[in-house]
Amino acid sequence: MIALFSLLAALLLSLPSAAFTLADGRECQSLGGQWHYIVDPMDTGIYKYHMTLQKPSKRYFADRHFYSDKTTLIEYDFDKAPTLSVPGDWNSQCDRLYFYEGSVWYKTTVPFQRIPGRRWFLYFGAVNYQCMVGLNNTILGTHKGGFTPFWFEVTDVLKEGENSLIVWVNNTRGVSEVPTINYDWWNYGGITRDVLLVSVPEVFIRDYRLRFDGSVVDVEVALDGGSGSVSLEIPELKIIKKACAGKDGVAHFRFKASPGRWSPENPRLYDVVIGTASDRITDRVGFRTIKVDGERLLLNDKPLFLKGVALHDETIGLNPGRCRSEEDARALLEAARDLGCNFLRLAHYPHSEEMVRLAERMGFLLWEEIPCYWNIDWTSEETYANAENQLMEMLGRDINRAAVIIWSMANETPCTPERLSFLGKLIAKTREVDPTRLVSAALQKEKPDFYHPVVEDELIGLTDIISFNQYYGWYDGKPADCDKITWSIPSGKPIVISEFGGGALYGNHGSDTELFTEEYLELLYRKNLSMLAKIPGLSGLCPWCLKDFRSPKRPLTGIQDDFNRKGLIDEQGRRKQAFYVMRDYYSSVRF
Ligand code: GCU
């Protein structure tokens, strides 16, 4: 299947480029709702019976197999097919798709009325894992990567009245993919985030990037379709500026300003209004600085301790699935708030834009990550291009979010030269595009001697902080062993524990030496917190994790039942005893 995608990708339109800012003032129509779907495990929609590739043609989507006006044999008929909610993963919506990995075809109709002088884009928040999009029998293009946005211009493809939108989605895992075939979360497939029809003027403000270094604001505004005069206003700061977008369509602004600073205690946001003769967008932006000063983290030049927790993009509830709305995100953020957090590690892939924007409004600092997870194909150029594309799409979407302070390249990856060069290139690319934020990755410890773990990884030379995962008391020994552990970690950079913790089934009580009891987990947290607090330069903690989450690697019947049980709350949001240990600790942290 994977080879198919690259062949198709090569054959079809180029992959999306740059960024497309979604901000207030954009005319967006959500295409969410009930979409018809056809499950296609044999990829009949792609292959002829001799496994030769269907020739992609202008009429590829409509005529071949699904609608044939040549014969009466109709075996693939969307109108007779059941429906799935979009946005939404298919696994949690339909029992027979619970474990499903493969192809699913989605169809919906899009009513349309043309307005002179406007252009239209189809914007997908995220589709897991790869997809091909067709409108009115025209293939718009393809996308790979399950957690970042992409879009296609459809101005010339749309027709008055009803338009047929068909999306082929495939979540088959692959060795050379990102993530690769082995990971500890549910491979939720489908059109997992909203689909928008966005209407813009012929010359429109496609994207803007804002930087603040503590006294000077730099803004780049990219127009699409032309050049001309651009205005930038920050009304609350009585700032009104004008600049001209040149042939490249980019206008540059640079000016001094002293806005109130964004921080967890005071998540202050300002309206930033960008206008042209024909277009106008307003975004809510925070102004803050984030730096490292030796072993200290400085937010707005003040020392910062990250009271964090890691979480997956998965709803709270008996039958969780990918978050589909701001409400889903709010439930998770309120649980993190109750834990006393000021920081979230959004693991191990970009979460939704709703999550990021709401977290920013609620005052959470954010760590965002691309799914270079465990051992990906470090030597494959295609894998690198895929990883870099996901990175650029993540940065493009969230580069104006003050809440985001750390870009993470990877999680628990092997210390090989190929990996170092792969991640080194991603880090260089990140610094080129965004020199204002910290760059890191979740590293691992080595334990040449069980009681003297060592964190030594050449990647530390390239990152701004030292962040690593450790599981003393769970994968390594018993909670009591923590008392005898001494760490050797390079000095000179802030240290953030990006994961620690253990599993427990909510309500499962017993001795504190019995795995999966609440008592065991409580003790594990107490012991880990006192062990970690002794580490010089410790600037943050991120327990793994906020909520029990689905994983096909966790089958233990009666205890796990397809859930990783390392949450401080269970899948229904019920607090485990360890939750209170962590909350008390965070309320005691003084910096
Ligand atoms: C790893 C990994 C997580 C995983 C966790 C666990 O460190 O980064 O994705 O879920 O450990 O084993 O529970």
Side-chain angles (χ1 to χ4, degrees):
M1 175 53 64
I2 305 303
L4 157 75
F5 179 87
S6 24
L7 180 66
L8 281 166
L11 283 169
L12 302 172
L13 294 174
S14 66
L15 286 172
S17 63
F20 190 118
T21 302
L22 279 188
D24 300 349
R26 286 273 192 240
E27 270 182 44
C28 299
Q29 174 200 348
S30 167
L31 302 179
Q34 292 302 308
W35 294 36
H36 289 284
Y37 75 99
I38 294 175
V39 182
D40 187 12
M42 294 295 175
D43 281 302
T44 307
I46 302 265
Y47 292 115
K48 285 186 185 156
Y49 68 108
H50 279 168
M51 290 305 285
T52 50
L53 194 57
Q54 308 287 0
K55 283 217 180 19
S57 72
K58 269 273 164 239
R59 300 188 62 69
Y60 180 71
F61 270 86
D63 296 350
R64 215 67 208 106
H65 287 284
F66 296 112
Y67 294 104
S68 165
D69 51 14
K70 294 191 193 65
T71 73
T72 55
L73 175 61
I74 295 194
E75 296 174 311
Y76 291 75
D77 183 340
F78 281 109
D79 299 338
K80 289 200 173 59
T83 63
L84 283 171
S85 296
V86 168
D89 62 272
W90 59 60
N91 314 72
S92 63
Q93 290 191 62
C94 172
D95 290 351
R96 67 185 182 129
L97 297 177
Y98 179 65
F99 278 113
Y100 183 65
E101 296 185 310
S103 291
V104 170
W105 297 83
Y106 285 80
K107 180 185 181 209
T108 191
T109 43
V110 181
F112 177 69
Q113 217 165 5
R114 190 169 296 283
I115 302 161
R118 303 289 294 179
R119 296 164 66 189
W120 284 267
F121 289 77
L122 262 183
Y123 184 99
F124 291 82
V127 175
N128 192 49
Y129 170 70
Q130 57 178 324
C131 67
M132 181 162 48
V133 180
L135 184 66
N136 298 337
N137 314 326
T138 298
I139 303 169
L140 301 174
T142 57
H143 184 263
K144 195 185 259 189
F147 308 101
T148 44
F150 57 97
W151 55 89
F152 303 105
E153 175 150 18
V154 289
T155 309
D156 304 333
V157 186
L158 284 166
K159 59 184 170 61
E160 293 290 336
E162 299 286 296
N163 293 263
S164 139
L165 174 58
I166 292 178
V167 183
W168 165 77
V169 180
N170 183 289
N171 69 337
T172 305
R173 287 165 290 121
V175 171
S176 296
E177 298 308 320
V178 182
T180 181
I181 49 176
N182 181 20
Y183 46 83
D184 189 24
W185 66 83
W186 207 265
N187 183 15
Y188 290 115
I191 304 176
T192 53
R193 295 181 191 152
D194 210 357
V195 183
L196 305 172
L197 182 61
V198 186
S199 163
V200 291
E202 261 155 15
V203 180
F204 73 99
I205 302 160
R206 181 171 47 70
D207 174 32
Y208 82 97
R209 303 202 166 181
L210 182 147
R211 292 181 190 170
F212 176 61
D213 68 358
S215 62
V216 174
V217 178
D218 266 297
V219 185
E220 250 183 37
V221 177
L223 303 187
D224 189 306
S227 56
S229 165
V230 180
S231 69
L232 182 135
E233 292 169 50
I234 310 180
E236 292 139 282
L237 297 175
K238 302 195 174 17
I239 287 174
I240 302 180
K241 302 285 178 190
K242 286 217 174 299
C244 203
K247 279 210 235 42
D248 61 358
V250 178
H252 300 266
F253 297 84
R254 186 175 172 79
F255 50 91
K256 276 194 165 299
S258 36
R261 298 298 182 85
W262 183 97
S263 69
E265 300 72 30
N266 177 22
R268 173 83 192 267
L269 298 174
Y270 289 82
D271 279 346
V272 171
V273 185
I274 299 170
T276 64
S278 58
D279 199 9
R280 182 187 168 85
I281 60 170
T282 302
D283 203 359
R284 298 283 290 157
V285 172
F287 295 85
R288 58 97 187 97
T289 60
I290 182 74
K291 292 185 197 120
V292 295
D293 168 30
E295 294 184 350
R296 294 190 310 162
L297 281 173
L298 298 178
L299 178 70
N300 301 323
D301 302 316
K302 295 198 197 78
L304 169 70
F305 187 89
L306 299 173
K307 300 188 274 187
V309 73
L311 66 155
H312 273 286
D313 170 13
E314 190 185 79
T315 55
I316 293 179
L318 261 175
N319 175 28
R322 285 284 176 236
C323 293
R324 303 182 195 176
S325 66
E326 189 174 286
E327 286 62 40
D328 291 341
R330 187 182 300 282
L332 292 164
L333 294 174
E334 276 167 3
R337 170 93 324 133
D338 298 344
L339 190 59
C341 295
N342 63 4
F343 174 64
L344 303 172
R345 177 183 174 199
L346 303 181
H348 292 288
Y349 39 77
H351 290 208
S352 71
E353 183 160 1
E354 284 108 347
M355 169 59 91
V356 171
R357 284 183 177 269
L358 182 58
E360 179 172 73
R361 292 200 297 277
M362 291 174 69
F364 286 102
L365 295 155
L366 297 175
W367 159 307
E368 289 212 79
E369 185 166 295
I370 53 169
C372 296
Y373 181 93
W374 288 346
N375 210 0
I376 66 172
D377 187 349
W378 307 107
T379 55
S380 150
E381 273 175 29
E382 214 179 304
T383 303
Y384 179 79
N386 178 354
E388 188 186 282
N389 183 56
Q390 294 190 41
L391 176 67
M392 289 301 112
E393 289 177 347
M394 174 174 78
L395 265 66
R397 189 194 74 184
D398 297 339
I399 201 156
N400 297 319
R401 304 278 72 75
V404 181
I405 55 167
I406 300 171
W407 299 120
S408 167
M409 303 300 117
N411 180 72
E412 294 190 350
T413 47
C415 294
T416 63
E418 297 77 16
R419 165 258 194 186
L420 186 64
S421 115
F422 188 112
L423 296 181
K425 281 197 295 184
L426 290 178
I427 290 175
K429 185 77 186 169
T430 304
R431 293 197 190 287
E432 179 198 314
V433 172
D434 179 14
T436 70
R437 287 183 176 83
L438 310 181
V439 173
S440 190
L443 309 176
Q444 300 178 92
K445 64 164 195 331
E446 303 304 325
K447 45 182 200 308
D449 163 343
F450 181 86
Y451 291 106
H452 305 298
V454 178
V455 178
E456 56 186 7
D457 184 326
E458 284 180 81
L459 201 66
I460 291 174
L462 302 175
T463 59
D464 297 303
I465 63 172
I466 301 173
S467 48
F468 63 93
N469 303 350
Q470 67 83 32
Y471 281 92
Y472 272 107
W474 188 254
Y475 293 125
D476 299 312
K478 300 251 167 302
D481 291 322
C482 292
D483 300 341
K484 290 174 266 160
I485 304 290
T486 54
W487 288 89
S488 73
I489 307 166
S491 60
K493 290 186 178 181
I495 293 168
V496 174
I497 310 300
S498 38
E499 286 182 33
F500 70 97
L505 175 65
Y506 171 80
N508 177 33
H509 293 286
S511 96
D512 62 13
T513 57
E514 193 192 332
L515 287 175
F516 291 110
T517 62
E518 293 242 25
E519 287 70 19
Y520 187 101
L521 189 61
E522 181 182 346
L523 179 63
L524 179 149
Y525 266 80
R526 290 191 191 289
K527 292 294 185 186
N528 264 269
L529 290 172
S530 66
M531 168 186 70
L532 297 170
K534 295 183 209 126
I535 294 177
L538 184 70
S539 295
L541 294 170
C542 229
W544 185 264
C545 56
L546 175 65
K547 180 185 80 74
D548 290 356
F549 60 93
R550 274 220 173 99
S551 167
K553 295 172 76 69
R554 311 294 171 172
L556 184 59
T557 308
I559 296 277
Q560 295 177 317
D561 297 318
D562 294 345
F563 281 94
N564 181 314
R565 293 282 178 207
K566 294 194 180 69
L568 287 165
I569 61 176
D570 76 349
E571 73 275 18
Q572 299 178 51
R574 300 176 295 182
R575 298 171 179 179
K576 301 175 189 178
Q577 287 169 207
F579 176 98
Y580 300 101
V581 175
M582 202 60 232
R583 187 183 66 177
D584 298 349
Y585 184 82
Y586 278 157
S587 59
S588 71
V589 169
R590 291 284 166 275
F591 212 85

